[in-house]
Amino acid sequence: MAKKKKLGLEDLGGFVFSTNDDFDLENNEYTETPSPEDQYLEAHFSNKGRGGKTVTIVKGFEGQEDDLKILAKLLKKKCGVGGAVKDYEIIIQGNYRDKVMEILKKEGYNVKRVGG
């Protein structure tokens, strides 16, 4: 007999239910993405848990997920490689940490090199 897949918030289609009677949908705060100058990102290099494949990981982005995806698309295009956005981290295939840091600095982000 097959195991049942556990349902997560993504499986609900983006809906979140609340038991708070005082919740006001009209005054729900919409958080804006801070400007690049206010962002402090970290550029990591990793090959653990990926079958020996090397990746560059950008962590520390704050803001909307759509803006994160736009930034990831820019990095992938400028590096000429594939990648993904997962758990609010940008994953770029290959060791492009220095190039990613250069691109992010040109875009106005504060970037720190983390790890060896």
Side-chain angles (χ1 to χ4, degrees), residues 16-29:
V16 178
F17 299 98
S18 174
T19 57
N20 184 359
D21 294 332
D22 298 329
F23 183 75
D24 185 12
L25 187 60
E26 300 299 322
N27 292 329
N28 193 8
E29 292 183 28

Side-chain angles (χ1 to χ4, degrees), residues 8-49:
L9 289 177
E10 299 84 25
D11 298 325
L12 296 175
F15 290 107
V16 178
F17 299 98
S18 174
T19 57
N20 184 359
D21 294 332
D22 298 329
F23 183 75
D24 185 12
L25 187 60
E26 300 299 322
N27 292 329
N28 193 8
E29 292 183 28
Y30 177 78
T31 56
E32 279 190 29
T33 301
S35 67
E37 295 81 23
D38 297 333
Q39 299 264 3
Y40 294 93
L41 305 178
E42 297 177 348
H44 296 258
F45 168 77
S46 176
N47 60 1
K48 293 184 178 166

